[in-house]
PDB file of all heavy atoms in Angstrom:
ATOM      1  N   SER A  22       0.611  -4.106   8.084  1.00 93.00           N
ATOM      2  CA  SER A  22       1.535  -2.887   8.057  1.00 93.00           C
ATOM      3  C   SER A  22       2.199  -2.609   9.313  1.00 93.00           C
ATOM      4  O   SER A  22       1.507  -2.576  10.446  1.00 93.00           O
ATOM      5  CB  SER A  22       0.722  -1.733   7.528  1.00 93.00           C
ATOM      6  OG  SER A  22       0.131  -1.973   6.265  1.00 93.00           O
ATOM      7  N   GLY A  23       3.466  -2.249   9.325  1.00 88.00           N
ATOM      8  CA  GLY A  23       4.220  -1.841  10.487  1.00 88.00           C
ATOM      9  C   GLY A  23       4.875  -0.625  10.207  1.00 88.00           C
ATOM     10  O   GLY A  23       4.489   0.501  10.624  1.00 88.00           O
ATOM     11  N   ASN A  24       6.059  -0.670   9.457  1.00 88.00           N
ATOM     12  CA  ASN A  24       6.756   0.572   9.069  1.00 88.00           C
ATOM     13  C   ASN A  24       6.225   1.167   7.822  1.00 88.00           C
ATOM     14  O   ASN A  24       6.700   2.238   7.438  1.00 88.00           O
ATOM     15  CB  ASN A  24       8.256   0.213   8.918  1.00 88.00           C
ATOM     16  CG  ASN A  24       9.165   1.331   9.344  1.00 88.00           C
ATOM     17  OD1 ASN A  24       8.821   2.267  10.058  1.00 88.00           O
ATOM     18  ND2 ASN A  24      10.373   1.283   8.800  1.00 88.00           N
ATOM     19  N   PHE A  25       5.237   0.586   7.214  1.00 91.00           N
ATOM     20  CA  PHE A  25       4.484   1.048   6.126  1.00 91.00           C
ATOM     21  C   PHE A  25       5.260   1.164   4.829  1.00 91.00           C
ATOM     22  O   PHE A  25       4.920   1.806   3.875  1.00 91.00           O
ATOM     23  CB  PHE A  25       3.727   2.360   6.370  1.00 91.00           C
ATOM     24  CG  PHE A  25       2.403   2.139   7.044  1.00 91.00           C
ATOM     25  CD1 PHE A  25       2.321   1.774   8.386  1.00 91.00           C
ATOM     26  CD2 PHE A  25       1.247   2.174   6.352  1.00 91.00           C
ATOM     27  CE1 PHE A  25       1.113   1.485   9.030  1.00 91.00           C
ATOM     28  CE2 PHE A  25       0.040   1.954   6.953  1.00 91.00           C
ATOM     29  CZ  PHE A  25      -0.042   1.584   8.277  1.00 91.00           C
ATOM     30  N   GLY A  26       6.416   0.514   4.745  1.00 90.00           N
ATOM     31  CA  GLY A  26       7.161   0.436   3.509  1.00 90.00           C
ATOM     32  C   GLY A  26       6.431  -0.428   2.491  1.00 90.00           C
ATOM     33  O   GLY A  26       6.395  -0.044   1.307  1.00 90.00           O
ATOM     34  N   ASN A  27       5.879  -1.571   2.966  1.00 93.00           N
ATOM     35  CA  ASN A  27       5.201  -2.429   1.999  1.00 93.00           C
ATOM     36  C   ASN A  27       4.034  -1.812   1.340  1.00 93.00           C
ATOM     37  O   ASN A  27       3.838  -1.861   0.177  1.00 93.00           O
ATOM     38  CB  ASN A  27       4.779  -3.722   2.789  1.00 93.00           C
ATOM     39  CG  ASN A  27       4.580  -4.947   1.870  1.00 93.00           C
ATOM     40  OD1 ASN A  27       4.768  -4.845   0.628  1.00 93.00           O
ATOM     41  ND2 ASN A  27       4.083  -6.037   2.391  1.00 93.00           N
ATOM     42  N   LEU A  28       3.197  -1.102   2.160  1.00 96.00           N
ATOM     43  CA  LEU A  28       2.073  -0.431   1.545  1.00 96.00           C
ATOM     44  C   LEU A  28       2.454   0.754   0.668  1.00 96.00           C
ATOM     45  O   LEU A  28       1.853   0.901  -0.383  1.00 96.00           O
ATOM     46  CB  LEU A  28       1.150   0.119   2.685  1.00 96.00           C
ATOM     47  CG  LEU A  28      -0.285   0.351   2.256  1.00 96.00           C
ATOM     48  CD1 LEU A  28      -1.296   0.177   3.428  1.00 96.00           C
ATOM     49  CD2 LEU A  28      -0.470   1.761   1.647  1.00 96.00           C
ATOM     50  N   THR A  29       3.582   1.445   1.052  1.00 96.00           N
ATOM     51  CA  THR A  29       4.030   2.472   0.132  1.00 96.00           C
ATOM     52  C   THR A  29       4.501   1.897  -1.205  1.00 96.00           C
ATOM     53  O   THR A  29       4.241   2.477  -2.292  1.00 96.00           O
ATOM     54  CB  THR A  29       5.211   3.200   0.776  1.00 96.00           C
ATOM     55  OG1 THR A  29       4.750   3.686   2.075  1.00 96.00           O
ATOM     56  CG2 THR A  29       5.684   4.376  -0.041  1.00 96.00           C
ATOM     57  N   SER A  30       5.027   0.696  -1.242  1.00 96.00           N
ATOM     58  CA  SER A  30       5.467  -0.006  -2.436  1.00 96.00           C
ATOM     59  C   SER A  30       4.191  -0.275  -3.296  1.00 96.00           C
ATOM     60  O   SER A  30       4.214  -0.174  -4.475  1.00 96.00           O
ATOM     61  CB  SER A  30       6.176  -1.263  -2.142  1.00 96.00           C
ATOM     62  OG  SER A  30       7.367  -1.046  -1.494  1.00 96.00           O
ATOM     63  N   GLY A  31       3.054  -0.613  -2.677  1.00 97.00           N
ATOM     64  CA  GLY A  31       1.868  -0.852  -3.434  1.00 97.00           C
ATOM     65  C   GLY A  31       1.356   0.427  -4.014  1.00 97.00           C
ATOM     66  O   GLY A  31       0.783   0.388  -5.156  1.00 97.00           O
ATOM     67  N   LEU A  32       1.519   1.570  -3.304  1.00 97.00           N
ATOM     68  CA  LEU A  32       1.214   2.810  -3.955  1.00 97.00           C
ATOM     69  C   LEU A  32       1.959   3.086  -5.234  1.00 97.00           C
ATOM     70  O   LEU A  32       1.434   3.584  -6.153  1.00 97.00           O
ATOM     71  CB  LEU A  32       1.323   3.934  -2.905  1.00 97.00           C
ATOM     72  CG  LEU A  32       0.420   3.869  -1.602  1.00 97.00           C
ATOM     73  CD1 LEU A  32       0.894   4.867  -0.622  1.00 97.00           C
ATOM     74  CD2 LEU A  32      -1.044   4.078  -1.980  1.00 97.00           C
ATOM     75  N   ILE A  33       3.233   2.795  -5.192  1.00 97.00           N
ATOM     76  CA  ILE A  33       4.090   2.975  -6.311  1.00 97.00           C
ATOM     77  C   ILE A  33       3.566   2.150  -7.508  1.00 97.00           C
ATOM     78  O   ILE A  33       3.438   2.646  -8.596  1.00 97.00           O
ATOM     79  CB  ILE A  33       5.597   2.608  -6.028  1.00 97.00           C
ATOM     80  CG1 ILE A  33       6.165   3.599  -5.046  1.00 97.00           C
ATOM     81  CG2 ILE A  33       6.432   2.629  -7.274  1.00 97.00           C
ATOM     82  CD1 ILE A  33       7.487   3.253  -4.451  1.00 97.00           C
ATOM     83  N   ALA A  34       3.284   0.889  -7.208  1.00 97.00           N
ATOM     84  CA  ALA A  34       2.658  -0.005  -8.307  1.00 97.00           C
ATOM     85  C   ALA A  34       1.426   0.565  -8.861  1.00 97.00           C
ATOM     86  O   ALA A  34       1.176   0.576 -10.113  1.00 97.00           O
ATOM     87  CB  ALA A  34       2.411  -1.422  -7.721  1.00 97.00           C
ATOM     88  N   LYS A  35       0.500   1.105  -8.050  1.00 98.00           N
ATOM     89  CA  LYS A  35      -0.770   1.677  -8.455  1.00 98.00           C
ATOM     90  C   LYS A  35      -0.496   2.902  -9.392  1.00 98.00           C
ATOM     91  O   LYS A  35      -1.077   3.002 -10.412  1.00 98.00           O
ATOM     92  CB  LYS A  35      -1.629   2.061  -7.290  1.00 98.00           C
ATOM     93  CG  LYS A  35      -2.937   2.720  -7.647  1.00 98.00           C
ATOM     94  CD  LYS A  35      -3.813   2.909  -6.399  1.00 98.00           C
ATOM     95  CE  LYS A  35      -4.984   3.855  -6.703  1.00 98.00           C
ATOM     96  NZ  LYS A  35      -5.887   3.270  -7.788  1.00 98.00           N
ATOM     97  N   GLU A  36       0.513   3.676  -8.932  1.00 97.00           N
ATOM     98  CA  GLU A  36       0.851   4.954  -9.738  1.00 97.00           C
ATOM     99  C   GLU A  36       1.391   4.523 -11.034  1.00 97.00           C
ATOM    100  O   GLU A  36       1.203   5.213 -12.055  1.00 97.00           O
ATOM    101  CB  GLU A  36       1.878   5.768  -8.942  1.00 97.00           C
ATOM    102  CG  GLU A  36       1.344   6.491  -7.767  1.00 97.00           C
ATOM    103  CD  GLU A  36       0.442   7.651  -8.075  1.00 97.00           C
ATOM    104  OE1 GLU A  36       0.510   8.161  -9.213  1.00 97.00           O
ATOM    105  OE2 GLU A  36      -0.379   8.001  -7.168  1.00 97.00           O
ATOM    106  N   MET A  37       2.027   3.372 -11.193  1.00 97.00           N
ATOM    107  CA  MET A  37       2.604   2.956 -12.379  1.00 97.00           C
ATOM    108  C   MET A  37       1.620   2.110 -13.295  1.00 97.00           C
ATOM    109  O   MET A  37       1.997   1.750 -14.384  1.00 97.00           O
ATOM    110  CB  MET A  37       3.818   2.116 -12.154  1.00 97.00           C
ATOM    111  CG  MET A  37       4.974   2.821 -11.424  1.00 97.00           C
ATOM    112  SD  MET A  37       6.463   1.843 -11.263  1.00 97.00           S
ATOM    113  CE  MET A  37       7.141   1.892 -13.001  1.00 97.00           C
ATOM    114  N   GLY A  38       0.377   2.011 -12.838  1.00 97.00           N
ATOM    115  CA  GLY A  38      -0.674   1.476 -13.705  1.00 97.00           C
ATOM    116  C   GLY A  38      -1.129   0.047 -13.261  1.00 97.00           C
ATOM    117  O   GLY A  38      -1.998  -0.544 -13.981  1.00 97.00           O
ATOM    118  N   ALA A  39      -0.784  -0.469 -12.115  1.00 97.00           N
ATOM    119  CA  ALA A  39      -1.360  -1.664 -11.620  1.00 97.00           C
ATOM    120  C   ALA A  39      -2.860  -1.559 -11.448  1.00 97.00           C
ATOM    121  O   ALA A  39      -3.328  -0.519 -10.959  1.00 97.00           O
ATOM    122  CB  ALA A  39      -0.667  -2.101 -10.341  1.00 97.00           C
ATOM    123  N   PRO A  40      -3.601  -2.638 -11.827  1.00 97.00           N
ATOM    124  CA  PRO A  40      -5.056  -2.512 -11.755  1.00 97.00           C
ATOM    125  C   PRO A  40      -5.534  -2.700 -10.287  1.00 97.00           C
ATOM    126  O   PRO A  40      -6.167  -3.702  -9.961  1.00 97.00           O
ATOM    127  CB  PRO A  40      -5.529  -3.613 -12.668  1.00 97.00           C
ATOM    128  CG  PRO A  40      -4.450  -4.671 -12.599  1.00 97.00           C
ATOM    129  CD  PRO A  40      -3.186  -3.880 -12.515  1.00 97.00           C
ATOM    130  N   ILE A  41      -5.125  -1.828  -9.403  1.00 98.00           N
ATOM    131  CA  ILE A  41      -5.486  -1.869  -8.041  1.00 98.00           C
ATOM    132  C   ILE A  41      -6.426  -0.662  -7.715  1.00 98.00           C
ATOM    133  O   ILE A  41      -6.124   0.474  -8.054  1.00 98.00           O
ATOM    134  CB  ILE A  41      -4.183  -1.703  -7.174  1.00 98.00           C
ATOM    135  CG1 ILE A  41      -3.292  -2.907  -7.404  1.00 98.00           C
ATOM    136  CG2 ILE A  41      -4.561  -1.595  -5.657  1.00 98.00           C
ATOM    137  CD1 ILE A  41      -1.877  -2.724  -6.774  1.00 98.00           C
ATOM    138  N   SER A  42      -7.558  -0.971  -7.107  1.00 97.00           N
ATOM    139  CA  SER A  42      -8.606   0.066  -6.814  1.00 97.00           C
ATOM    140  C   SER A  42      -8.299   0.644  -5.501  1.00 97.00           C
ATOM    141  O   SER A  42      -8.578   1.924  -5.274  1.00 97.00           O
ATOM    142  CB  SER A  42      -9.946  -0.492  -6.801  1.00 97.00           C
ATOM    143  OG  SER A  42     -10.319  -0.952  -8.070  1.00 97.00           O
ATOM    144  N   GLY A  43      -7.673  -0.011  -4.521  1.00 97.00           N
ATOM    145  CA  GLY A  43      -7.463   0.609  -3.195  1.00 97.00           C
ATOM    146  C   GLY A  43      -6.718  -0.378  -2.320  1.00 97.00           C
ATOM    147  O   GLY A  43      -6.265  -1.464  -2.717  1.00 97.00           O
ATOM    148  N   PHE A  44      -6.587   0.040  -1.031  1.00 98.00           N
ATOM    149  CA  PHE A  44      -5.742  -0.683  -0.061  1.00 98.00           C
ATOM    150  C   PHE A  44      -6.498  -0.727   1.261  1.00 98.00           C
ATOM    151  O   PHE A  44      -7.285   0.174   1.575  1.00 98.00           O
ATOM    152  CB  PHE A  44      -4.404   0.051   0.096  1.00 98.00           C
ATOM    153  CG  PHE A  44      -3.571   0.162  -1.137  1.00 98.00           C
ATOM    154  CD1 PHE A  44      -3.736   1.152  -2.054  1.00 98.00           C
ATOM    155  CD2 PHE A  44      -2.569  -0.832  -1.438  1.00 98.00           C
ATOM    156  CE1 PHE A  44      -3.014   1.261  -3.164  1.00 98.00           C
ATOM    157  CE2 PHE A  44      -1.843  -0.744  -2.536  1.00 98.00           C
ATOM    158  CZ  PHE A  44      -2.037   0.295  -3.500  1.00 98.00           C
ATOM    159  N   VAL A  45      -6.169  -1.645   2.065  1.00 97.00           N
ATOM    160  CA  VAL A  45      -6.496  -1.730   3.443  1.00 97.00           C
ATOM    161  C   VAL A  45      -5.234  -1.676   4.267  1.00 97.00           C
ATOM    162  O   VAL A  45      -4.416  -2.575   4.085  1.00 97.00           O
ATOM    163  CB  VAL A  45      -7.326  -2.973   3.820  1.00 97.00           C
ATOM    164  CG1 VAL A  45      -7.732  -2.939   5.344  1.00 97.00           C
ATOM    165  CG2 VAL A  45      -8.652  -3.047   2.981  1.00 97.00           C
ATOM    166  N   ALA A  46      -5.046  -0.663   5.075  1.00 96.00           N
ATOM    167  CA  ALA A  46      -3.893  -0.537   5.946  1.00 96.00           C
ATOM    168  C   ALA A  46      -4.324  -1.282   7.242  1.00 96.00           C
ATOM    169  O   ALA A  46      -5.132  -0.741   8.013  1.00 96.00           O
ATOM    170  CB  ALA A  46      -3.652   0.921   6.256  1.00 96.00           C
ATOM    171  N   ALA A  47      -3.776  -2.470   7.464  1.00 97.00           N
ATOM    172  CA  ALA A  47      -4.182  -3.337   8.516  1.00 97.00           C
ATOM    173  C   ALA A  47      -2.995  -3.422   9.523  1.00 97.00           C
ATOM    174  O   ALA A  47      -1.969  -4.028   9.221  1.00 97.00           O
ATOM    175  CB  ALA A  47      -4.528  -4.724   8.025  1.00 97.00           C
ATOM    176  N   THR A  48      -3.237  -2.924  10.766  1.00 96.00           N
ATOM    177  CA  THR A  48      -2.170  -3.019  11.683  1.00 96.00           C
ATOM    178  C   THR A  48      -2.591  -3.827  12.975  1.00 96.00           C
ATOM    179  O   THR A  48      -3.800  -4.148  13.119  1.00 96.00           O
ATOM    180  CB  THR A  48      -1.766  -1.529  12.188  1.00 96.00           C
ATOM    181  OG1 THR A  48      -2.716  -1.075  13.124  1.00 96.00           O
ATOM    182  CG2 THR A  48      -1.665  -0.564  11.002  1.00 96.00           C
ATOM    183  N   ASN A  49      -1.595  -4.107  13.798  1.00 96.00           N
ATOM    184  CA  ASN A  49      -1.904  -4.664  15.101  1.00 96.00           C
ATOM    185  C   ASN A  49      -2.214  -3.447  16.062  1.00 96.00           C
ATOM    186  O   ASN A  49      -2.606  -2.378  15.701  1.00 96.00           O
ATOM    187  CB  ASN A  49      -0.754  -5.509  15.610  1.00 96.00           C
ATOM    188  CG  ASN A  49       0.571  -4.824  15.627  1.00 96.00           C
ATOM    189  OD1 ASN A  49       0.677  -3.609  15.767  1.00 96.00           O
ATOM    190  ND2 ASN A  49       1.651  -5.591  15.517  1.00 96.00           N
ATOM    191  N   THR A  50      -1.964  -3.720  17.401  1.00 96.00           N
ATOM    192  CA  THR A  50      -2.309  -2.669  18.416  1.00 96.00           C
ATOM    193  C   THR A  50      -1.461  -1.387  18.171  1.00 96.00           C
ATOM    194  O   THR A  50      -1.910  -0.323  18.721  1.00 96.00           O
ATOM    195  CB  THR A  50      -2.022  -3.261  19.840  1.00 96.00           C
ATOM    196  OG1 THR A  50      -2.804  -4.445  19.965  1.00 96.00           O
ATOM    197  CG2 THR A  50      -2.599  -2.232  20.822  1.00 96.00           C
TER     198      THR A  50
END
């Protein structure tokens, strides 16, 4: 994650019913 758009997209998928239990926000320094 950098600008966190990709992870926010994952949140949208989860809200829409994707079988996702959670996320790891993994960044560099």
Side-chain angles (χ1 to χ4, degrees):
S22 301
N24 213 21
F25 275 76
N27 201 5
L28 200 151
T29 306
S30 298
L32 296 171
I33 293 171
K35 178 174 170 59
E36 290 289 339
M37 296 186 75
I41 297 170
S42 295
F44 300 85
V45 179
T48 78
N49 56 26
T50 307

